Amino acid sequence: MDYILDVHTHTIVSGHAYSTMQEVIEQAAKKGLELVAITDHAPAMPGSAHMFYFSNLGVLPQYIYGVEVLKGIEANIINYNGDIDVSEVILKQLDIVIASLHPPCIDFGNIEQNTNAIIGAMKNPYVNIIGHPDDARYPLDYDKIVKAAKEHNVLLEVNNSSMNPNGFRKGADKIKIMLEKCMKENVSVVINSDAHVSFDVGKFDSAIKLIEEINFPKELIVNTSKEKLKRFLKG
């Protein structure tokens, strides 16, 4: 199966990543990707950029090195209502928005609190993807999450970085539970690298292994087509 896009990547602007935007896009081109999104962390993440950075992303060409570049952000969910740390003024200017739970921005809640936070974020009309819904420190009710994703036309992420045994997140193998429910409900997913260094752009090895183990249907994976992805983007 050909995976032609990666829509969760970080640059030095995020404060804890190690490559420039140019290096990220160059690697995407070298690896044969047709589309990449730059989704640096929103300002509630310590060390990230001011909102002026995101409001100025319009200076980027649509295509660089032959790769279509989406201007995006990884917003932080900041409370159990699902509010995010990005204003509508900025959201309107972006091509793609990921919303995620991060320890510096919201405490580890119980399963009801975390689930409410994710579903609340999905209700935001500008949110396209829920990032790494796989961290055991934030337990989730996957029945409710998957059904809400279907209702609000939001993609659920299979995050390759989460499966790194040396990474920060715990219990990412629980994503299998979510994927099985996605198959049952016919809900699409996106596989992303969550690259924090350019060499990891388009790196999906662990995620692909998991997908293949459970025979997840290819028609529910949007990475095979730009058109499939864009059905989940607003505007």
Side-chain angles (χ1 to χ4, degrees), residues 144-160:
K144 292 182 179 179
I145 294 294
V146 170
K147 289 176 181 176
K150 186 173 187 176
E151 178 183 356
H152 298 290
N153 198 47
V154 172
L155 286 165
L156 296 171
E157 180 183 67
V158 182
N159 187 296
N160 197 76

Side-chain angles (χ1 to χ4, degrees), residues 211-229:
I211 287 286
E212 291 177 345
E213 281 178 2
I214 64 172
N215 294 313
F216 194 83
K218 63 180 181 180
E219 59 267 21
L220 294 180
I221 303 172
V222 302
N223 298 73
T224 59
S225 163
K226 292 198 291 184
E227 289 69 31
K228 284 168 68 173
L229 169 73

